[in-house]
């Protein structure tokens, strides 16, 4: 099967862990495969899930023997990871190394290794960072070093692009905006009529500080006191769940605030269709997939006006408010009055037209076309770029890259490229056509026998 590109997507965040980045990798990879490309995923092992696994449509996943260090990110082992990474890229005959998420240590290492080995590199940023606190300062410096030699950067919103350009000191012309998308076929509104006497407000997120759980703890008792017919359904887990349980106990709201705990992604739609309003209280978001999924299920969205959220949905689908409890309460009051006029299936059709993973894959292919036309950079020019990243950090990283180059030369001598076996490609297109034709074959048991 002829393919346009052979892509290795690298990130610490992938299945069985579930989240926005994980779903982005999976859906984008599936659409790229259907468009005739070869895609593999490189991530770290999750428990007993190690080695090589195949997912739908022959998506090949390398679960490398690296342990997560913090928040599912691996401990940086830049020298130790080079032999295995080089072996995988040669074995799979990769053209492009595409890394995801600034929090991923494996992604940063892959960018450095990919440039060193002469591959085209691309990076997708899914998050927003500040500029003042210590963690943001260190992360921004690391991002500046990693992206100083990358061929192209993709951001999921215009706000994310501005943030990344400032943090990493990038040329804006080298950064593209390709938003996330949603599989709308999996998020269809419920055809059953809703109970007009009750209004359910749904919250689906990780229960952490960044998701604004403290705002929820303050506003829920006030909303419940104002509107006796309003209930809350909260899905997700995290360290802030204790605060929600204490709030529910203090105000005796056990029958009106339902805490569902962790929700599998395949069950998210079943939770969303129970609601009328979706509430997002995040303190920072580059692009919130959750509100798109909710709108696809026909829910009216109330959200904090932060990050790239104002770019996601049109005004008639979303009510924005400042990240303040009273502002969110006022927005919910407006939403409660408007919710009866919402046409759920009209919302679904509009979201279906706005967000499509095939469109995301097509636009990503254009980025791949662009970076494949760029001339390869010599080592000396790469060292000059790294040296410009800081007075001390730049020189330190130049030394690191020189040592990596020497280590790569040793690996080329010990394990020549010609002695590494080439992996057979999974016949993705044949498999997809076979599955489609198989689904069209009528069931013999349902056929009427004609004598």
């Amino acid at each position: 099967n002829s393919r346009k590109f052979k892509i290795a997507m690298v990130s610490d965040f992938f299945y069985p862990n579930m989240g926005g980045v994980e779903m982005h990798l999976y859906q984008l990879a599936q659409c790229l495969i259907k468009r005739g490309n070869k895609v593999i995923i490189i991530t770290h092992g999750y428990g007993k899930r190690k080695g090589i696994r195949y997912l739908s449509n022959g998506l090949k996943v390398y679960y490398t023997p690296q342990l997560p260090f913090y928040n599912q990110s691996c401990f940086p082992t830049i020298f130790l990871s080079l032999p295995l990474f080089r072996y995988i890229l040669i074995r799979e005959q990769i053209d492009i190394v595409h890394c995801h998420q600034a929090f991923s240590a494996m992604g940063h290492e892959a960018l450095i290794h990919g440039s060193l080995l002469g591959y085209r590199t691309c990076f997708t940023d899914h998050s927003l960072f500040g500029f003042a606190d210590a963690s943001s300062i260190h992360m921004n410096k690391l991002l500046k070093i990693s992206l100083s030699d990358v061929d192209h950067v993709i951001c999921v919103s215009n706000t994310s692009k501005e943030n990344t350009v400032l943090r990493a000191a990038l040329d804006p012309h080298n950064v593209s905006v390709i938003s996330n998308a949603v599989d709308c076929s999996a998020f269809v509104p419920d055809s059953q009529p809703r109970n007009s006497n009750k209004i359910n407000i749904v919250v689906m997120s990780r229960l952490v500080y960044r998701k604004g759980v403290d705002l929820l703890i303050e506003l829920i008792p006030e909303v419940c006191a104002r509107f006796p017919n309003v209930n809350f359904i909260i899905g997700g887990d995290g360290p802030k769940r204790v605060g929600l349980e204490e709030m529910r106990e203090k105000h005796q709201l056990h029958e009106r605030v339902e805490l569902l705990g962790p929700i599998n992604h395949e069950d998210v739609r079943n939770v969303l269709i129970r609601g009328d309003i979706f509430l997002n209280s995040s303190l920072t978001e580059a692009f919130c997939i959750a509100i798109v999924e909710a709108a696809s299920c026909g829910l009216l969205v109330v959200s904090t006006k932060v990050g790239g959220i104002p770019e996601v949905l049109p005004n008639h689908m979303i009510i924005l408010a400042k990240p303040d409890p009273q502002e969110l309460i006022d927005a919910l009051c407006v939403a409660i009055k408007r919710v009866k006029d919402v046409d759920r299936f009209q919302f679904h059709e509009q979201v279906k037209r706005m967000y499509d993973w095939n469109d995301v894959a097509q636009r990503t292919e254009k980025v791949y076309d662009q970076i494949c036309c760029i001339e390869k950079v010599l080592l000396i020019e790469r060292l000059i770029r790294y040296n410009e990243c800081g007075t001390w950090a730049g020189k330190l990283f130049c030394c690191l890259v020189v040592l990596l180059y020497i280590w790569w030369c040793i690996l080329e001598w010990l394990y020549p490229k010609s002695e590494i076996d080439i992996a057979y490609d999974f016949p993705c297109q044949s498999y997809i056509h076979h599955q489609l034709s198989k689904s069209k074959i009528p069931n013999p048991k349902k056929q009427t026998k004609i004598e």
Side-chain angles (χ1 to χ4, degrees):
N1 295 324
S2 60
R3 292 186 172 91
K4 297 180 182 178
F5 303 103
K6 296 183 179 180
I7 309 140
M9 293 193 178
V10 187
S11 180
D12 281 303
F13 310 102
F14 195 64
Y15 181 82
N17 192 45
M18 296 305 295
V21 179
E22 291 84 350
M23 287 305 300
H24 181 102
L25 261 73
Y26 178 78
Q27 294 289 354
L28 178 59
Q30 290 293 334
C31 288
L32 287 171
I33 288 173
K34 290 178 182 178
R35 293 178 62 83
N37 303 286
K38 173 182 176 178
V39 183
I40 66 168
I41 304 288
I42 303 176
T43 186
H44 65 74
Y46 283 87
K48 294 182 179 179
R49 186 175 287 269
K50 297 177 182 177
I52 300 174
R53 301 289 183 96
Y54 282 90
L55 300 183
S56 301
N57 296 328
L59 176 58
K60 193 174 186 179
V61 185
Y62 283 86
Y63 290 96
T64 62
Q66 294 175 266
L67 296 175
F69 172 66
Y70 173 73
N71 198 20
Q72 293 300 333
S73 291
C74 290
F75 188 83
T77 56
I78 190 166
F79 289 98
L80 298 179
S81 61
L82 179 59
L84 180 58
F85 189 73
R86 169 182 173 267
Y87 178 84
I88 293 174
L89 296 187
I90 295 174
R91 179 175 169 79
E92 298 291 342
Q93 296 181 297
I94 296 300
D95 303 320
I96 298 170
V97 178
H98 189 169
C99 303
H100 292 258
Q101 185 61 305
F103 289 111
S104 175
M106 180 180 283
H108 288 289
E109 290 182 5
L111 286 176
I112 298 167
H113 294 334
S115 298
L116 178 70
L117 299 175
Y119 294 95
R120 306 298 184 181
T121 56
C122 183
F123 176 76
T124 298
D125 197 1
H126 297 262
S127 300
L128 297 176
F129 282 87
F131 299 89
D133 57 290
S135 62
S136 297
I137 292 172
H138 291 299
M139 181 59 71
N140 293 343
K141 176 60 70 174
L142 175 61
L143 190 70
K144 183 178 180 180
I145 292 173
S146 299
L147 299 187
S148 62
D149 196 32
V150 74
D151 291 317
H152 203 84
V153 177
I154 298 173
C155 294
V156 294
S157 66
N158 289 292
T159 302
S160 176
K161 175 181 177 178
E162 294 175 5
N163 183 262
T164 303
V165 166
L166 290 173
R167 285 159 49 209
L170 297 173
D171 181 3
H173 296 93
N174 199 35
V175 183
S176 299
V177 176
I178 303 176
S179 65
N180 284 315
V182 169
D183 182 8
C184 291
S185 62
F187 294 93
V188 182
D190 190 6
S191 58
Q192 298 296 325
R194 298 285 305 153
N195 185 352
S196 59
N197 296 324
K198 288 186 178 181
I199 296 176
N200 290 333
I201 299 176
V202 178
V203 179
M204 294 285 291
S205 72
R206 293 190 300 273
L207 303 182
V208 295
Y209 172 77
R210 188 175 69 86
K211 294 296 183 178
V213 180
D214 293 327
L215 298 176
L216 291 177
I217 294 172
E218 290 190 47
L219 69 86
I220 288 177
E222 179 68 23
V223 174
C224 289
R226 289 192 190 185
F227 303 96
N229 63 329
V230 171
N231 298 324
F232 283 83
I233 301 172
I234 302 175
D237 202 3
K240 289 290 184 178
R241 178 173 178 171
V242 177
L244 288 170
E245 291 176 344
E246 291 176 350
M247 175 273 298
R248 185 174 66 171
E249 182 73 28
K250 178 180 178 181
H251 296 277
Q252 296 296 306
L253 296 173
H254 297 83
E255 296 183 357
R256 302 184 60 186
V257 179
E258 185 179 357
L259 298 177
L260 302 177
I263 304 294
N264 295 326
H265 191 265
E266 60 267 21
D267 298 325
V268 170
R269 185 255 177 188
N270 296 331
V271 177
L272 290 175
I273 61 175
R274 293 175 57 191
D276 302 281
I277 298 171
F278 184 83
L279 175 59
N280 172 55
S281 58
S282 296
L283 302 179
T284 175
E285 287 283 358
F287 184 101
C288 187
I289 294 182
I291 65 175
V292 183
E293 294 174 345
S296 180
C297 288
L299 277 68
L300 181 62
V301 177
V302 175
S303 176
T304 47
K305 189 177 181 180
V306 295
I309 289 179
E311 307 173 27
V312 178
L313 293 173
N315 293 332
H316 67 280
M317 290 186 180
I318 187 171
I319 300 173
L320 298 171
K322 295 179 181 179
D324 176 78
Q326 191 56 50
E327 293 279 348
L328 283 172
I329 291 171
D330 294 339
L332 284 171
C333 293
V334 175
I336 290 169
K337 295 177 182 178
R338 284 176 47 184
V339 71
K340 293 181 180 180
D341 300 326
V342 170
D343 186 338
R344 291 170 173 263
F345 286 92
Q346 183 181 2
F347 273 28
H348 174 76
E349 291 300 322
Q350 289 177 346
V351 172
K352 189 176 180 179
R353 290 194 296 267
M354 287 189 293
Y355 293 104
D356 183 13
W357 280 113
N358 290 314
D359 177 60
V360 174
Q362 184 178 4
R363 295 168 67 185
T364 305
E365 281 182 342
K366 292 181 179 179
V367 172
Y368 294 159
D369 279 323
Q370 180 180 339
I371 63 178
C372 285
C373 298
I374 300 175
E375 294 184 3
K376 293 186 178 180
V377 179
L378 299 175
L379 177 62
I380 186 64
E381 187 175 344
R382 294 179 60 229
L383 292 175
I384 293 173
R385 293 181 182 180
Y386 290 135
N387 186 51
E388 294 174 350
C389 292
T391 306
W392 297 104
K395 293 176 174 57
L396 180 64
F397 204 76
C398 284
C399 296
L400 180 67
V401 172
V402 170
L403 291 175
L404 270 176
Y405 181 79
I406 296 172
W407 177 222
W408 172 47
C409 292
I410 295 173
L411 291 173
E412 288 286 345
W413 176 67
L414 291 175
Y415 307 101
K417 186 177 181 180
S418 58
E419 295 183 5
I420 297 177
D421 293 334
I422 303 301
Y424 287 101
D425 293 343
F426 186 89
C428 299
Q429 299 304 313
S430 301
Y431 174 78
I432 293 171
H433 290 315
H434 174 70
Q435 292 297 317
L436 291 173
S437 60
K438 187 177 178 181
S439 64
K440 295 178 182 178
I441 297 175
N443 190 344
K445 294 182 180 179
K446 295 183 179 180
Q447 288 182 326
T448 304
K449 186 176 180 180
I450 301 176
E451 298 271 342

